[in-house]
Each structure stands twice: as structure tokens, then as C-alpha cells.
mmCIF file with all atom_site columns, all heavy atoms in Angstrom:
data_model
loop_
_atom_site.group_PDB
_atom_site.id
_atom_site.type_symbol
_atom_site.label_atom_id
_atom_site.label_alt_id
_atom_site.label_comp_id
_atom_site.label_asym_id
_atom_site.label_entity_id
_atom_site.label_seq_id
_atom_site.pdbx_PDB_ins_code
_atom_site.Cartn_x
_atom_site.Cartn_y
_atom_site.Cartn_z
_atom_site.occupancy
_atom_site.B_iso_or_equiv
_atom_site.pdbx_formal_charge
_atom_site.auth_seq_id
_atom_site.auth_comp_id
_atom_site.auth_asym_id
_atom_site.auth_atom_id
_atom_site.pdbx_PDB_model_num
ATOM 1   N N   . GLU A 1 1  ? -0.168  1.754   -9.831  1.00 0.00 ? 17 GLU A N   1
ATOM 2   C CA  . GLU A 1 1  ? -0.300  0.683   -10.848 1.00 0.00 ? 17 GLU A CA  1
ATOM 3   C C   . GLU A 1 1  ? -0.223  -0.674  -10.140 1.00 0.00 ? 17 GLU A C   1
ATOM 4   O O   . GLU A 1 1  ? -0.920  -1.601  -10.519 1.00 0.00 ? 17 GLU A O   1
ATOM 5   C CB  . GLU A 1 1  ? 0.714   0.810   -11.957 1.00 0.00 ? 17 GLU A CB  1
ATOM 6   C CG  . GLU A 1 1  ? 0.392   1.985   -12.868 1.00 0.00 ? 17 GLU A CG  1
ATOM 7   C CD  . GLU A 1 1  ? 1.483   2.270   -13.868 1.00 0.00 ? 17 GLU A CD  1
ATOM 8   O OE1 . GLU A 1 1  ? 2.563   1.703   -13.806 1.00 0.00 ? 17 GLU A OE1 1
ATOM 9   O OE2 . GLU A 1 1  ? 1.238   3.191   -14.755 1.00 0.00 ? 17 GLU A OE2 1
ATOM 10  N N   . ALA A 1 2  ? 0.630   -0.795  -9.150  1.00 0.00 ? 18 ALA A N   1
ATOM 11  C CA  . ALA A 1 2  ? 0.752   -2.075  -8.399  1.00 0.00 ? 18 ALA A CA  1
ATOM 12  C C   . ALA A 1 2  ? -0.558  -2.393  -7.692  1.00 0.00 ? 18 ALA A C   1
ATOM 13  O O   . ALA A 1 2  ? -0.983  -3.532  -7.625  1.00 0.00 ? 18 ALA A O   1
ATOM 14  C CB  . ALA A 1 2  ? 1.875   -1.959  -7.381  1.00 0.00 ? 18 ALA A CB  1
ATOM 15  N N   . PHE A 1 3  ? -1.245  -1.346  -7.194  1.00 0.00 ? 19 PHE A N   1
ATOM 16  C CA  . PHE A 1 3  ? -2.562  -1.591  -6.541  1.00 0.00 ? 19 PHE A CA  1
ATOM 17  C C   . PHE A 1 3  ? -3.603  -2.190  -7.507  1.00 0.00 ? 19 PHE A C   1
ATOM 18  O O   . PHE A 1 3  ? -4.245  -3.211  -7.249  1.00 0.00 ? 19 PHE A O   1
ATOM 19  C CB  . PHE A 1 3  ? -3.116  -0.310  -5.928  1.00 0.00 ? 19 PHE A CB  1
ATOM 20  C CG  . PHE A 1 3  ? -2.897  -0.277  -4.448  1.00 0.00 ? 19 PHE A CG  1
ATOM 21  C CD1 . PHE A 1 3  ? -1.903  0.465   -3.919  1.00 0.00 ? 19 PHE A CD1 1
ATOM 22  C CD2 . PHE A 1 3  ? -3.751  -0.981  -3.621  1.00 0.00 ? 19 PHE A CD2 1
ATOM 23  C CE1 . PHE A 1 3  ? -1.699  0.521   -2.531  1.00 0.00 ? 19 PHE A CE1 1
ATOM 24  C CE2 . PHE A 1 3  ? -3.585  -0.950  -2.218  1.00 0.00 ? 19 PHE A CE2 1
ATOM 25  C CZ  . PHE A 1 3  ? -2.537  -0.204  -1.709  1.00 0.00 ? 19 PHE A CZ  1
ATOM 26  N N   . VAL A 1 4  ? -3.685  -1.611  -8.744  1.00 0.00 ? 20 VAL A N   1
ATOM 27  C CA  . VAL A 1 4  ? -4.716  -2.103  -9.664  1.00 0.00 ? 20 VAL A CA  1
ATOM 28  C C   . VAL A 1 4  ? -4.320  -3.445  -10.234 1.00 0.00 ? 20 VAL A C   1
ATOM 29  O O   . VAL A 1 4  ? -5.196  -4.157  -10.670 1.00 0.00 ? 20 VAL A O   1
ATOM 30  C CB  . VAL A 1 4  ? -5.052  -1.061  -10.779 1.00 0.00 ? 20 VAL A CB  1
ATOM 31  C CG1 . VAL A 1 4  ? -5.659  0.160   -10.157 1.00 0.00 ? 20 VAL A CG1 1
ATOM 32  C CG2 . VAL A 1 4  ? -3.906  -0.760  -11.632 1.00 0.00 ? 20 VAL A CG2 1
ATOM 33  N N   . LYS A 1 5  ? -3.033  -3.756  -10.254 1.00 0.00 ? 21 LYS A N   1
ATOM 34  C CA  . LYS A 1 5  ? -2.607  -5.091  -10.740 1.00 0.00 ? 21 LYS A CA  1
ATOM 35  C C   . LYS A 1 5  ? -2.575  -6.127  -9.637  1.00 0.00 ? 21 LYS A C   1
ATOM 36  O O   . LYS A 1 5  ? -2.302  -7.306  -9.938  1.00 0.00 ? 21 LYS A O   1
ATOM 37  C CB  . LYS A 1 5  ? -1.217  -4.936  -11.389 1.00 0.00 ? 21 LYS A CB  1
ATOM 38  C CG  . LYS A 1 5  ? -1.254  -4.092  -12.658 1.00 0.00 ? 21 LYS A CG  1
ATOM 39  C CD  . LYS A 1 5  ? 0.206   -3.902  -13.199 1.00 0.00 ? 21 LYS A CD  1
ATOM 40  C CE  . LYS A 1 5  ? 0.193   -3.029  -14.387 1.00 0.00 ? 21 LYS A CE  1
ATOM 41  N NZ  . LYS A 1 5  ? 1.556   -2.703  -14.826 1.00 0.00 ? 21 LYS A NZ  1
ATOM 42  N N   . GLY A 1 6  ? -2.798  -5.716  -8.394  1.00 0.00 ? 22 GLY A N   1
ATOM 43  C CA  . GLY A 1 6  ? -2.750  -6.673  -7.310  1.00 0.00 ? 22 GLY A CA  1
ATOM 44  C C   . GLY A 1 6  ? -1.363  -7.163  -6.992  1.00 0.00 ? 22 GLY A C   1
ATOM 45  O O   . GLY A 1 6  ? -1.167  -8.247  -6.469  1.00 0.00 ? 22 GLY A O   1
ATOM 46  N N   . ASN A 1 7  ? -0.366  -6.320  -7.241  1.00 0.00 ? 23 ASN A N   1
ATOM 47  C CA  . ASN A 1 7  ? 1.065   -6.670  -6.988  1.00 0.00 ? 23 ASN A CA  1
ATOM 48  C C   . ASN A 1 7  ? 1.446   -6.322  -5.523  1.00 0.00 ? 23 ASN A C   1
ATOM 49  O O   . ASN A 1 7  ? 2.035   -5.296  -5.224  1.00 0.00 ? 23 ASN A O   1
ATOM 50  C CB  . ASN A 1 7  ? 1.949   -5.917  -7.991  1.00 0.00 ? 23 ASN A CB  1
ATOM 51  C CG  . ASN A 1 7  ? 3.379   -6.299  -7.887  1.00 0.00 ? 23 ASN A CG  1
ATOM 52  O OD1 . ASN A 1 7  ? 3.833   -6.976  -6.919  1.00 0.00 ? 23 ASN A OD1 1
ATOM 53  N ND2 . ASN A 1 7  ? 4.181   -5.941  -8.864  1.00 0.00 ? 23 ASN A ND2 1
ATOM 54  N N   . SER A 1 8  ? 1.057   -7.201  -4.646  1.00 0.00 ? 24 SER A N   1
ATOM 55  C CA  . SER A 1 8  ? 1.290   -7.010  -3.184  1.00 0.00 ? 24 SER A CA  1
ATOM 56  C C   . SER A 1 8  ? 2.809   -6.828  -2.883  1.00 0.00 ? 24 SER A C   1
ATOM 57  O O   . SER A 1 8  ? 3.202   -6.057  -2.027  1.00 0.00 ? 24 SER A O   1
ATOM 58  C CB  . SER A 1 8  ? 0.792   -8.139  -2.393  1.00 0.00 ? 24 SER A CB  1
ATOM 59  O OG  . SER A 1 8  ? -0.618  -8.213  -2.499  1.00 0.00 ? 24 SER A OG  1
ATOM 60  N N   . GLU A 1 9  ? 3.643   -7.575  -3.569  1.00 0.00 ? 25 GLU A N   1
ATOM 61  C CA  . GLU A 1 9  ? 5.084   -7.500  -3.312  1.00 0.00 ? 25 GLU A CA  1
ATOM 62  C C   . GLU A 1 9  ? 5.606   -6.049  -3.561  1.00 0.00 ? 25 GLU A C   1
ATOM 63  O O   . GLU A 1 9  ? 6.332   -5.495  -2.727  1.00 0.00 ? 25 GLU A O   1
ATOM 64  C CB  . GLU A 1 9  ? 5.858   -8.494  -4.248  1.00 0.00 ? 25 GLU A CB  1
ATOM 65  C CG  . GLU A 1 9  ? 7.306   -8.559  -3.925  1.00 0.00 ? 25 GLU A CG  1
ATOM 66  C CD  . GLU A 1 9  ? 8.008   -9.631  -4.814  1.00 0.00 ? 25 GLU A CD  1
ATOM 67  O OE1 . GLU A 1 9  ? 7.389   -10.654 -5.134  1.00 0.00 ? 25 GLU A OE1 1
ATOM 68  O OE2 . GLU A 1 9  ? 9.193   -9.387  -5.159  1.00 0.00 ? 25 GLU A OE2 1
ATOM 69  N N   . LYS A 1 10 ? 5.224   -5.478  -4.661  1.00 0.00 ? 26 LYS A N   1
ATOM 70  C CA  . LYS A 1 10 ? 5.619   -4.123  -4.973  1.00 0.00 ? 26 LYS A CA  1
ATOM 71  C C   . LYS A 1 10 ? 5.082   -3.133  -3.965  1.00 0.00 ? 26 LYS A C   1
ATOM 72  O O   . LYS A 1 10 ? 5.817   -2.189  -3.560  1.00 0.00 ? 26 LYS A O   1
ATOM 73  C CB  . LYS A 1 10 ? 5.159   -3.758  -6.419  1.00 0.00 ? 26 LYS A CB  1
ATOM 74  C CG  . LYS A 1 10 ? 5.414   -2.312  -6.835  1.00 0.00 ? 26 LYS A CG  1
ATOM 75  C CD  . LYS A 1 10 ? 6.894   -2.069  -7.038  1.00 0.00 ? 26 LYS A CD  1
ATOM 76  C CE  . LYS A 1 10 ? 7.080   -0.642  -7.570  1.00 0.00 ? 26 LYS A CE  1
ATOM 77  N NZ  . LYS A 1 10 ? 8.500   -0.290  -7.570  1.00 0.00 ? 26 LYS A NZ  1
ATOM 78  N N   . ILE A 1 11 ? 3.868   -3.312  -3.573  1.00 0.00 ? 27 ILE A N   1
ATOM 79  C CA  . ILE A 1 11 ? 3.216   -2.394  -2.592  1.00 0.00 ? 27 ILE A CA  1
ATOM 80  C C   . ILE A 1 11 ? 4.029   -2.498  -1.305  1.00 0.00 ? 27 ILE A C   1
ATOM 81  O O   . ILE A 1 11 ? 4.387   -1.452  -0.747  1.00 0.00 ? 27 ILE A O   1
ATOM 82  C CB  . ILE A 1 11 ? 1.747   -2.774  -2.373  1.00 0.00 ? 27 ILE A CB  1
ATOM 83  C CG1 . ILE A 1 11 ? 0.941   -2.490  -3.698  1.00 0.00 ? 27 ILE A CG1 1
ATOM 84  C CG2 . ILE A 1 11 ? 1.155   -2.023  -1.198  1.00 0.00 ? 27 ILE A CG2 1
ATOM 85  C CD1 . ILE A 1 11 ? -0.422  -3.136  -3.672  1.00 0.00 ? 27 ILE A CD1 1
ATOM 86  N N   . LEU A 1 12 ? 4.264   -3.684  -0.788  1.00 0.00 ? 28 LEU A N   1
ATOM 87  C CA  . LEU A 1 12 ? 4.870   -3.851  0.508   1.00 0.00 ? 28 LEU A CA  1
ATOM 88  C C   . LEU A 1 12 ? 6.324   -3.390  0.503   1.00 0.00 ? 28 LEU A C   1
ATOM 89  O O   . LEU A 1 12 ? 6.814   -2.909  1.571   1.00 0.00 ? 28 LEU A O   1
ATOM 90  C CB  . LEU A 1 12 ? 4.786   -5.312  0.978   1.00 0.00 ? 28 LEU A CB  1
ATOM 91  C CG  . LEU A 1 12 ? 3.346   -5.843  1.257   1.00 0.00 ? 28 LEU A CG  1
ATOM 92  C CD1 . LEU A 1 12 ? 3.337   -7.301  1.442   1.00 0.00 ? 28 LEU A CD1 1
ATOM 93  C CD2 . LEU A 1 12 ? 2.696   -5.035  2.377   1.00 0.00 ? 28 LEU A CD2 1
ATOM 94  N N   . GLU A 1 13 ? 7.017   -3.491  -0.606  1.00 0.00 ? 29 GLU A N   1
ATOM 95  C CA  . GLU A 1 13 ? 8.423   -3.034  -0.656  1.00 0.00 ? 29 GLU A CA  1
ATOM 96  C C   . GLU A 1 13 ? 8.501   -1.520  -0.747  1.00 0.00 ? 29 GLU A C   1
ATOM 97  O O   . GLU A 1 13 ? 9.561   -0.948  -0.609  1.00 0.00 ? 29 GLU A O   1
ATOM 98  C CB  . GLU A 1 13 ? 9.209   -3.708  -1.761  1.00 0.00 ? 29 GLU A CB  1
ATOM 99  C CG  . GLU A 1 13 ? 8.857   -3.278  -3.161  1.00 0.00 ? 29 GLU A CG  1
ATOM 100 C CD  . GLU A 1 13 ? 9.550   -4.033  -4.234  1.00 0.00 ? 29 GLU A CD  1
ATOM 101 O OE1 . GLU A 1 13 ? 10.051  -5.117  -4.019  1.00 0.00 ? 29 GLU A OE1 1
ATOM 102 O OE2 . GLU A 1 13 ? 9.622   -3.498  -5.403  1.00 0.00 ? 29 GLU A OE2 1
ATOM 103 N N   . SER A 1 14 ? 7.357   -0.876  -0.997  1.00 0.00 ? 30 SER A N   1
ATOM 104 C CA  . SER A 1 14 ? 7.318   0.571   -1.190  1.00 0.00 ? 30 SER A CA  1
ATOM 105 C C   . SER A 1 14 ? 6.906   1.348   0.052   1.00 0.00 ? 30 SER A C   1
ATOM 106 O O   . SER A 1 14 ? 6.873   2.598   0.051   1.00 0.00 ? 30 SER A O   1
ATOM 107 C CB  . SER A 1 14 ? 6.294   0.930   -2.314  1.00 0.00 ? 30 SER A CB  1
ATOM 108 O OG  . SER A 1 14 ? 6.666   0.341   -3.528  1.00 0.00 ? 30 SER A OG  1
ATOM 109 N N   . VAL A 1 15 ? 6.563   0.611   1.163   1.00 0.00 ? 31 VAL A N   1
ATOM 110 C CA  . VAL A 1 15 ? 6.143   1.265   2.376   1.00 0.00 ? 31 VAL A CA  1
ATOM 111 C C   . VAL A 1 15 ? 7.064   0.940   3.530   1.00 0.00 ? 31 VAL A C   1
ATOM 112 O O   . VAL A 1 15 ? 7.803   -0.045  3.513   1.00 0.00 ? 31 VAL A O   1
ATOM 113 C CB  . VAL A 1 15 ? 4.661   0.889   2.693   1.00 0.00 ? 31 VAL A CB  1
ATOM 114 C CG1 . VAL A 1 15 ? 3.720   1.200   1.557   1.00 0.00 ? 31 VAL A CG1 1
ATOM 115 C CG2 . VAL A 1 15 ? 4.595   -0.621  3.070   1.00 0.00 ? 31 VAL A CG2 1
ATOM 116 N N   . THR A 1 16 ? 6.970   1.795   4.564   1.00 0.00 ? 32 THR A N   1
ATOM 117 C CA  . THR A 1 16 ? 7.730   1.547   5.799   1.00 0.00 ? 32 THR A CA  1
ATOM 118 C C   . THR A 1 16 ? 7.046   0.492   6.638   1.00 0.00 ? 32 THR A C   1
ATOM 119 O O   . THR A 1 16 ? 5.850   0.239   6.454   1.00 0.00 ? 32 THR A O   1
ATOM 120 C CB  . THR A 1 16 ? 7.911   2.835   6.600   1.00 0.00 ? 32 THR A CB  1
ATOM 121 O OG1 . THR A 1 16 ? 6.611   3.297   6.978   1.00 0.00 ? 32 THR A OG1 1
ATOM 122 C CG2 . THR A 1 16 ? 8.652   3.921   5.816   1.00 0.00 ? 32 THR A CG2 1
ATOM 123 N N   . ASP A 1 17 ? 7.785   -0.099  7.589   1.00 0.00 ? 33 ASP A N   1
ATOM 124 C CA  . ASP A 1 17 ? 7.197   -1.089  8.488   1.00 0.00 ? 33 ASP A CA  1
ATOM 125 C C   . ASP A 1 17 ? 6.060   -0.499  9.356   1.00 0.00 ? 33 ASP A C   1
ATOM 126 O O   . ASP A 1 17 ? 5.151   -1.197  9.714   1.00 0.00 ? 33 ASP A O   1
ATOM 127 C CB  . ASP A 1 17 ? 8.264   -1.672  9.401   1.00 0.00 ? 33 ASP A CB  1
ATOM 128 C CG  . ASP A 1 17 ? 9.236   -2.569  8.646   1.00 0.00 ? 33 ASP A CG  1
ATOM 129 O OD1 . ASP A 1 17 ? 8.923   -2.992  7.509   1.00 0.00 ? 33 ASP A OD1 1
ATOM 130 O OD2 . ASP A 1 17 ? 10.306  -2.918  9.216   1.00 0.00 ? 33 ASP A OD2 1
ATOM 131 N N   . ASP A 1 18 ? 6.124   0.829   9.636   1.00 0.00 ? 34 ASP A N   1
ATOM 132 C CA  . ASP A 1 18 ? 5.145   1.435   10.478  1.00 0.00 ? 34 ASP A CA  1
ATOM 133 C C   . ASP A 1 18 ? 4.147   2.265   9.658   1.00 0.00 ? 34 ASP A C   1
ATOM 134 O O   . ASP A 1 18 ? 3.532   3.226   10.161  1.00 0.00 ? 34 ASP A O   1
ATOM 135 C CB  . ASP A 1 18 ? 5.773   2.317   11.542  1.00 0.00 ? 34 ASP A CB  1
ATOM 136 C CG  . ASP A 1 18 ? 6.628   3.428   10.953  1.00 0.00 ? 34 ASP A CG  1
ATOM 137 O OD1 . ASP A 1 18 ? 6.906   3.384   9.724   1.00 0.00 ? 34 ASP A OD1 1
ATOM 138 O OD2 . ASP A 1 18 ? 7.032   4.322   11.714  1.00 0.00 ? 34 ASP A OD2 1
ATOM 139 N N   . ILE A 1 19 ? 3.883   1.827   8.466   1.00 0.00 ? 35 ILE A N   1
ATOM 140 C CA  . ILE A 1 19 ? 2.932   2.500   7.589   1.00 0.00 ? 35 ILE A CA  1
ATOM 141 C C   . ILE A 1 19 ? 1.556   2.777   8.245   1.00 0.00 ? 35 ILE A C   1
ATOM 142 O O   . ILE A 1 19 ? 1.101   1.904   9.005   1.00 0.00 ? 35 ILE A O   1
ATOM 143 C CB  . ILE A 1 19 ? 2.686   1.678   6.268   1.00 0.00 ? 35 ILE A CB  1
ATOM 144 C CG1 . ILE A 1 19 ? 1.676   2.336   5.312   1.00 0.00 ? 35 ILE A CG1 1
ATOM 145 C CG2 . ILE A 1 19 ? 2.235   0.251   6.624   1.00 0.00 ? 35 ILE A CG2 1
ATOM 146 C CD1 . ILE A 1 19 ? 2.147   3.536   4.613   1.00 0.00 ? 35 ILE A CD1 1
ATOM 147 N N   . ILE A 1 20 ? 1.013   3.930   7.993   1.00 0.00 ? 36 ILE A N   1
ATOM 148 C CA  . ILE A 1 20 ? -0.373  4.222   8.426   1.00 0.00 ? 36 ILE A CA  1
ATOM 149 C C   . ILE A 1 20 ? -1.151  4.597   7.173   1.00 0.00 ? 36 ILE A C   1
ATOM 150 O O   . ILE A 1 20 ? -0.747  5.521   6.459   1.00 0.00 ? 36 ILE A O   1
ATOM 151 C CB  . ILE A 1 20 ? -0.377  5.403   9.447   1.00 0.00 ? 36 ILE A CB  1
ATOM 152 C CG1 . ILE A 1 20 ? 0.374   4.998   10.683  1.00 0.00 ? 36 ILE A CG1 1
ATOM 153 C CG2 . ILE A 1 20 ? -1.857  5.786   9.764   1.00 0.00 ? 36 ILE A CG2 1
ATOM 154 C CD1 . ILE A 1 20 ? 0.516   6.117   11.716  1.00 0.00 ? 36 ILE A CD1 1
ATOM 155 N N   . TRP A 1 21 ? -2.254  3.896   6.897   1.00 0.00 ? 37 TRP A N   1
ATOM 156 C CA  . TRP A 1 21 ? -3.077  4.180   5.757   1.00 0.00 ? 37 TRP A CA  1
ATOM 157 C C   . TRP A 1 21 ? -4.492  4.441   6.265   1.00 0.00 ? 37 TRP A C   1
ATOM 158 O O   . TRP A 1 21 ? -5.200  3.600   6.722   1.00 0.00 ? 37 TRP A O   1
ATOM 159 C CB  . TRP A 1 21 ? -3.075  2.982   4.827   1.00 0.00 ? 37 TRP A CB  1
ATOM 160 C CG  . TRP A 1 21 ? -3.930  3.172   3.564   1.00 0.00 ? 37 TRP A CG  1
ATOM 161 C CD1 . TRP A 1 21 ? -4.427  4.346   3.078   1.00 0.00 ? 37 TRP A CD1 1
ATOM 162 C CD2 . TRP A 1 21 ? -4.334  2.142   2.630   1.00 0.00 ? 37 TRP A CD2 1
ATOM 163 N NE1 . TRP A 1 21 ? -5.112  4.109   1.939   1.00 0.00 ? 37 TRP A NE1 1
ATOM 164 C CE2 . TRP A 1 21 ? -5.121  2.788   1.629   1.00 0.00 ? 37 TRP A CE2 1
ATOM 165 C CE3 . TRP A 1 21 ? -4.188  0.761   2.592   1.00 0.00 ? 37 TRP A CE3 1
ATOM 166 C CZ2 . TRP A 1 21 ? -5.654  2.054   0.617   1.00 0.00 ? 37 TRP A CZ2 1
ATOM 167 C CZ3 . TRP A 1 21 ? -4.752  0.048   1.598   1.00 0.00 ? 37 TRP A CZ3 1
ATOM 168 C CH2 . TRP A 1 21 ? -5.481  0.700   0.568   1.00 0.00 ? 37 TRP A CH2 1
ATOM 169 N N   . ARG A 1 22 ? -4.859  5.732   6.216   1.00 0.00 ? 38 ARG A N   1
ATOM 170 C CA  . ARG A 1 22 ? -6.182  6.168   6.670   1.00 0.00 ? 38 ARG A CA  1
ATOM 171 C C   . ARG A 1 22 ? -7.087  6.302   5.459   1.00 0.00 ? 38 ARG A C   1
ATOM 172 O O   . ARG A 1 22 ? -6.826  7.094   4.593   1.00 0.00 ? 38 ARG A O   1
ATOM 173 C CB  . ARG A 1 22 ? -6.056  7.528   7.433   1.00 0.00 ? 38 ARG A CB  1
ATOM 174 C CG  . ARG A 1 22 ? -7.410  7.956   8.002   1.00 0.00 ? 38 ARG A CG  1
ATOM 175 C CD  . ARG A 1 22 ? -7.251  9.045   9.006   1.00 0.00 ? 38 ARG A CD  1
ATOM 176 N NE  . ARG A 1 22 ? -6.453  10.196  8.561   1.00 0.00 ? 38 ARG A NE  1
ATOM 177 C CZ  . ARG A 1 22 ? -7.004  11.390  8.255   1.00 0.00 ? 38 ARG A CZ  1
ATOM 178 N NH1 . ARG A 1 22 ? -8.301  11.585  8.357   1.00 0.00 ? 38 ARG A NH1 1
ATOM 179 N NH2 . ARG A 1 22 ? -6.207  12.336  7.880   1.00 0.00 ? 38 ARG A NH2 1
ATOM 180 N N   . MET A 1 23 ? -8.145  5.509   5.433   1.00 0.00 ? 39 MET A N   1
ATOM 181 C CA  . MET A 1 23 ? -9.152  5.536   4.377   1.00 0.00 ? 39 MET A CA  1
ATOM 182 C C   . MET A 1 23 ? -10.315 6.316   4.957   1.00 0.00 ? 39 MET A C   1
ATOM 183 O O   . MET A 1 23 ? -11.062 5.803   5.770   1.00 0.00 ? 39 MET A O   1
ATOM 184 C CB  . MET A 1 23 ? -9.537  4.176   3.935   1.00 0.00 ? 39 MET A CB  1
ATOM 185 C CG  . MET A 1 23 ? -8.361  3.430   3.225   1.00 0.00 ? 39 MET A CG  1
ATOM 186 S SD  . MET A 1 23 ? -8.617  1.678   3.064   1.00 0.00 ? 39 MET A SD  1
ATOM 187 C CE  . MET A 1 23 ? -7.952  1.125   4.614   1.00 0.00 ? 39 MET A CE  1
ATOM 188 N N   . VAL A 1 24 ? -10.441 7.590   4.625   1.00 0.00 ? 40 VAL A N   1
ATOM 189 C CA  . VAL A 1 24 ? -11.415 8.486   5.196   1.00 0.00 ? 40 VAL A CA  1
ATOM 190 C C   . VAL A 1 24 ? -12.811 7.917   5.066   1.00 0.00 ? 40 VAL A C   1
ATOM 191 O O   . VAL A 1 24 ? -13.251 7.485   3.981   1.00 0.00 ? 40 VAL A O   1
ATOM 192 C CB  . VAL A 1 24 ? -11.302 9.938   4.554   1.00 0.00 ? 40 VAL A CB  1
ATOM 193 C CG1 . VAL A 1 24 ? -12.377 10.794  5.076   1.00 0.00 ? 40 VAL A CG1 1
ATOM 194 C CG2 . VAL A 1 24 ? -9.920  10.479  4.783   1.00 0.00 ? 40 VAL A CG2 1
ATOM 195 N N   . GLY A 1 25 ? -13.506 7.834   6.214   1.00 0.00 ? 41 GLY A N   1
ATOM 196 C CA  . GLY A 1 25 ? -14.864 7.300   6.226   1.00 0.00 ? 41 GLY A CA  1
ATOM 197 C C   . GLY A 1 25 ? -14.859 5.784   6.321   1.00 0.00 ? 41 GLY A C   1
ATOM 198 O O   . GLY A 1 25 ? -15.931 5.155   6.309   1.00 0.00 ? 41 GLY A O   1
ATOM 199 N N   . ASN A 1 26 ? -13.717 5.155   6.445   1.00 0.00 ? 42 ASN A N   1
ATOM 200 C CA  . ASN A 1 26 ? -13.598 3.713   6.446   1.00 0.00 ? 42 ASN A CA  1
ATOM 201 C C   . ASN A 1 26 ? -12.614 3.328   7.538   1.00 0.00 ? 42 ASN A C   1
ATOM 202 O O   . ASN A 1 26 ? -12.680 3.806   8.638   1.00 0.00 ? 42 ASN A O   1
ATOM 203 C CB  . ASN A 1 26 ? -13.228 3.176   5.105   1.00 0.00 ? 42 ASN A CB  1
ATOM 204 C CG  . ASN A 1 26 ? -13.651 1.777   4.826   1.00 0.00 ? 42 ASN A CG  1
ATOM 205 O OD1 . ASN A 1 26 ? -13.978 1.034   5.733   1.00 0.00 ? 42 ASN A OD1 1
ATOM 206 N ND2 . ASN A 1 26 ? -13.676 1.360   3.603   1.00 0.00 ? 42 ASN A ND2 1
#
């Protein structure tokens, strides 16, 4: 829900400092 609302603060507080986000094909 934070993603669709553009709530960067919530997103960033929910991940580790060494986050890896693989967007397949991108």
C-alpha cells in the first residue's frame, strides 16, 4: 500500500540497508 501511495518513508523504514530488489527483465 505504501508503494501505491508513494509513501517513501514507510518503504525505506521497512527494508534493510543492504536491500536487493530484482525486477525480472528490468
Side-chain angles (χ1 to χ4, degrees):
E17 289 171 351
F19 258 101
V20 297
K21 293 176 183 172
N23 185 346
S24 296
E25 184 177 328
K26 175 70 174 170
I27 294 166
L28 295 172
E29 72 185 20
S30 301
V31 302
T32 61
D33 289 345
D34 61 347
I35 179 73
I36 297 174
W37 181 15
R38 183 165 52 108
M39 294 166 273
V40 175
N42 205 342

